[in-house]
Amino acid sequence: MSADRQRIEKVPGSRRARLTPAPGTAAEPDPPADDEPPASVSPGAGPNDDRMQQDVPPHY
């Protein structure tokens, strides 16, 4: 077994296990850049998007 591979680690007090980070990757996700729009706004947002998200089907 090579040392540059992911390993399975037991989590004390839990039935779950976790993987060690893959080689060449960071454990934390990259922070979003300042010039990116928020995740809730899609780049192709149209004029009716707000109304469509607030509409409720008649059976509710």
Side-chain angles (χ1 to χ4, degrees), residues 36-53:
E36 291 182 15
S40 62
V41 177
S42 63
N48 293 328
D49 285 349
D50 289 333
R51 192 183 108 220
M52 293 297 288
Q53 290 178 353

Side-chain angles (χ1 to χ4, degrees), residues 6-27:
Q6 285 181 296
R7 293 185 325 268
I8 299 173
E9 296 180 340
K10 283 187 165 185
V11 177
S14 177
R15 292 175 38 186
R16 295 187 179 262
R18 68 174 164 232
L19 288 173
T20 57
T25 62

